[in-house]
Amino acid sequence: MSGTNSVVAIRDLGKTFGNEGSQTVALSGINLTIQPGEFVSLIGPSGCGKSTLLRIIGDLTGPTTGTVEVNGKPAARARTDRDYGMVFQAPVLFDWRTIEANVALPLEIIDMPRARRVQRIAEMLSLVELSDFARHHPWQLSGGMQQRAAIARALAFEPRLLLMDEPFGALDEMTRERMNTELLRIWEQTGTTIVFVTHSIPEAVFLSSRVVVMSARPGRITKVIEVGLPRPRSDETRELEPYFELITEVRESLKAGGHGSDAGTIADEPLEALQ
Amino acid sequence: MIDRLRYYLPTLAVFVGGIVLWEGAVRALEIQRFLLPPPSDIAAALVTNRDLLMAAGLTTLIEAVGGFAIGLTGGLVVAFATSRFALARGALMPFAIAANAIPIIAFAPIANAWFGVTSPVSKMMIVAMLVFFPVMINTVRGLTSADAASLELMRSYAASEREVLTRVRIPNALPYFFTAIKVGATLSLIGAIVGEYFGGATVALGRIIVESASFLRFAQAWSAIIVAAALGIGFYLIIIGIERVAMPWHASMRGQT
């Protein structure tokens, strides 16, 4: 089922944490193929392994069983080839670097010549509308601006794949909605494939071309929902009838998964800490 | 300029006020001069003995700075070596932390015996020991305490160990390192002077303090203490200056230009 062109191809993936004494099955029987240019959200309650799945795609941790291919290569190879950019929940900007120097970090590591680097940084900062803040230090920027800088950094070496782990989870609702609109603009401008982890149903529906619904214990995919909302999406999208219908559909699917309740969320917290 | 003056004015006022109070109290309460000489006597002793004090200050400063350099170098070398190897770190750190907790200054007479009581090397070795442990412990902490997310970010770039070291671990260690050498700067003068208390070249601040006190020349002893204090403050200020240049980004430096 995975085309040769797929950006991500996951087959029969499972992940188990712990030793023989106490084992926790974090992920089980995961199959997922993502095509170029898709925007795929992974949504589910805490402890469903959605962040773990993202980290396995990025080879930040390995699977226990099954395989992951990125751009047709094993995930480890894709990482050393710098095939993807990663955005974490925290911006992870270095205080000792200015914003432009933070964006330059991955370019320094791939030894991009200085002249091209300077040009590339300028492009990236203009893409995320931070050109005026190039010489600022991270602590001088708001949370939303810091996360935009992190996105610029992740896109700096033009990866075909962008992995985002609840990037707007720490932002207030208004900023989050604005960031969502901006992210879609960047996605449309760059044509990058995005895998996006979130626990916000409206965010997943608004952004995605497909929403992958997961459930906990063990973490598995319970449903994949196609989001056919027209593009480009804007604030008006959030008022469309189909938008609300899709939100309801995702919510129902999460409930059907059985671990969507608040009690379950709290009980699953220790597992999240393991990841 | 005016703003700066206004900022430092209260400090200056307290300083001048303290001196005046001291002078006034000694005179008004007729405190015995050998118990607490008035500032004017100490100032006079500073002027009279300026050549001796300059030479003695230089001797002590060389011991302190020389020992500081040895301890700093040793601390950094061991810190970088052990930070690479978790096993070596696990084996060495408990001893380093224990050694840092003992009063190393107690070894001063022994160091004098080992390296020659008249040689500046014996004082440098005491100072080096005092400086070594805080520098080593703090640098190891700084090098190994980079947050997990930063390291994962570097992993996502497939960055080499060397790149992680130069771009994450070393900048992350700078605040820890400067904390250690600020302590080290103060310890280095303490080490040198206390080392001198137990014998050594006669033209040294520690010797002047001990000998003046035993001959009840307290104004002279105080004048040597003032020189030692000035050296300590000067050394500390130089390190703060370097710190500002090295990490203007750090939270403690923000809002200062």
Side-chain angles (χ1 to χ4, degrees):
Chain A
M1 87 166 234
S2 68
T4 44
N5 290 331
S6 65
V7 180
V8 178
I10 300 167
R11 283 182 215 95
D12 302 323
L13 182 134
K15 174 76 176 174
T16 309
F17 285 113
N19 45 32
E20 280 132 55
S22 64
Q23 289 203 332
T24 313
V25 180
L27 291 167
S28 164
I30 305 283
N31 283 285
L32 182 66
T33 305
I34 299 171
Q35 300 302 330
E38 270 198 286
F39 195 126
V40 174
S41 288
L42 308 178
I43 192 167
S46 295
C48 74
K50 54 192 190 295
S51 286
T52 305
L53 181 55
L54 191 80
R55 288 160 42 79
I56 292 173
I57 298 172
D59 187 42
L60 297 178
T61 181
T64 310
T65 56
T67 58
V68 179
E69 285 187 357
V70 175
N71 289 339
K73 310 173 258 201
R77 177 70 199 286
R79 180 175 63 83
T80 50
D81 285 355
R82 285 110 178 181
D83 279 359
Y84 70 86
M86 182 102 192
V87 179
F88 301 90
Q89 178 165 9
V92 200
L93 298 168
F94 295 139
D95 276 349
W96 51 86
R97 287 172 170 255
T98 58
I99 293 301
E100 62 181 2
N102 267 290
V103 176
L105 177 71
L107 304 179
E108 289 170 14
I109 290 171
I110 62 169
D111 280 327
M112 184 184 274
R114 206 185 134 69
R116 266 188 63 209
R117 207 162 71 205
V118 170
Q119 189 194 345
R120 187 89 192 121
I121 295 162
E123 284 169 25
M124 285 301 105
L125 288 178
S126 124
L127 182 71
V128 298
E129 293 170 352
L130 280 179
S131 302
D132 294 341
F133 298 90
R135 300 287 161 84
H136 285 59
H137 279 270
W139 73 85
Q140 296 168 310
L141 270 57
S142 69
M145 288 161 95
Q146 290 184 16
Q147 205 51 280
R148 280 188 349 232
I151 293 169
R153 179 182 60 191
L155 291 171
F157 48 51
E158 295 180 80
R160 280 182 68 197
L161 176 63
L162 187 57
L163 303 176
M164 307 183 83
D165 189 0
E166 294 188 40
F168 310 135
L171 303 179
D172 63 84
E173 199 60 29
M174 300 292 288
T175 313
R176 179 194 280 238
E177 286 191 0
R178 209 170 56 240
M179 294 295 291
N180 284 344
T181 312
E182 285 213 27
L183 180 61
L184 281 186
R185 176 180 60 76
I186 292 165
W187 173 65
E188 273 152 21
Q189 245 170 286
T190 56
T192 311
T193 309
I194 297 182
V195 185
F196 189 96
V197 168
T198 181
H199 53 234
S200 160
I201 300 170
E203 182 172 66
V205 170
F206 179 75
L207 292 171
S208 311
S209 36
R210 272 198 295 163
V211 177
V212 174
V213 180
M214 297 177 69
S215 74
R217 284 191 245 121
R220 60 203 150 83
I221 296 173
T222 50
K223 196 162 189 190
V224 179
I225 296 167
E226 298 278 340
V227 179
L229 296 171
R231 295 194 186 268
R233 294 176 191 168
S234 63
D235 285 342
E236 279 127 64
T237 308
R238 293 196 175 90
E239 283 152 28
L240 297 176
E241 194 63 32
Y243 171 74
F244 291 112
E245 283 164 9
L246 281 159
I247 285 179
T248 308
E249 190 183 348
V250 173
R251 182 174 295 126
E252 295 295 327
S253 308
L254 280 167
K255 275 190 194 150
H259 293 289
S261 70
D262 282 350
T265 305
I266 291 160
D268 284 337
E269 280 305 327
L271 189 60
E272 192 85 334
L274 263 175
Q275 297 174 12
Chain B
M1 186 64 203
I2 298 286
D3 279 351
R4 289 203 92 157
L5 206 67
R6 197 165 289 163
Y7 179 79
Y8 289 115
L9 207 60
T11 317
L12 196 69
V14 169
F15 179 74
V16 173
I19 298 282
V20 170
L21 203 67
W22 178 354
E23 182 83 38
V26 170
R27 285 170 194 272
L29 303 173
E30 294 179 351
I31 293 172
Q32 297 284 350
R33 296 214 155 191
F34 66 87
L35 282 180
L36 184 64
S40 53
D41 280 13
I42 297 170
L46 267 171
V47 175
T48 331
N49 302 318
R50 60 184 180 277
D51 291 339
L52 174 69
L53 287 172
M54 286 260 274
L58 188 66
T59 308
T60 304
L61 188 65
I62 288 171
E63 291 164 357
V65 172
F68 178 84
I70 297 168
L72 176 69
T73 311
L76 284 178
V77 167
V78 175
F80 273 88
T82 55
S83 74
R84 283 279 283 130
F85 307 103
L87 192 68
R89 192 163 68 242
L92 285 177
M93 279 302 266
F95 291 105
I97 290 165
N100 197 33
I102 62 173
I104 288 168
I105 201 72
F107 286 99
I110 309 225
N112 279 344
W114 280 358
F115 300 100
V117 70
T118 52
S119 161
V121 175
S122 59
K123 317 298 182 281
M124 284 186 194
M125 285 305 162
I126 298 161
V127 173
M129 276 201 288
L130 283 170
V131 173
F132 174 86
F133 290 104
V135 167
M136 181 216 154
I137 291 168
N138 267 32
T139 307
V140 166
R141 276 197 189 130
L143 289 173
T144 53
S145 72
D147 66 45
S150 302
L151 297 175
E152 286 209 325
L153 181 75
M154 295 302 276
R155 182 174 158 83
S156 80
Y157 297 145
S160 66
E161 270 299 313
R162 196 180 56 80
E163 282 163 335
V164 174
L165 181 70
T166 56
R167 293 185 158 83
V168 181
R169 294 191 190 279
I170 290 176
N172 186 69
L174 280 180
Y176 295 83
F177 169 73
F178 275 106
T179 303
I181 62 171
K182 277 188 271 187
V183 172
T186 314
L187 285 177
S188 69
L189 274 153
I190 295 176
I193 289 170
V194 174
E196 289 162 359
Y197 283 174
F198 297 104
T202 46
V203 185
L205 292 179
R207 293 304 320 151
I208 293 179
I209 294 168
V210 169
E211 279 159 23
S212 305
S214 61
F215 289 107
L216 307 181
R217 288 195 216 109
F218 284 99
Q220 192 170 311
W222 274 91
S223 69
I225 291 169
I226 299 287
V227 173
L231 289 177
I233 292 169
F235 197 0
Y236 190 77
L237 287 178
I238 287 170
I239 288 179
I240 287 190
I242 298 170
E243 183 183 28
R244 277 191 195 175
V245 175
M247 40 178 229
W249 46 267
H250 193 247
S252 60
M253 307 291 155
R254 286 169 202 169
Q256 302 173 357
T257 41

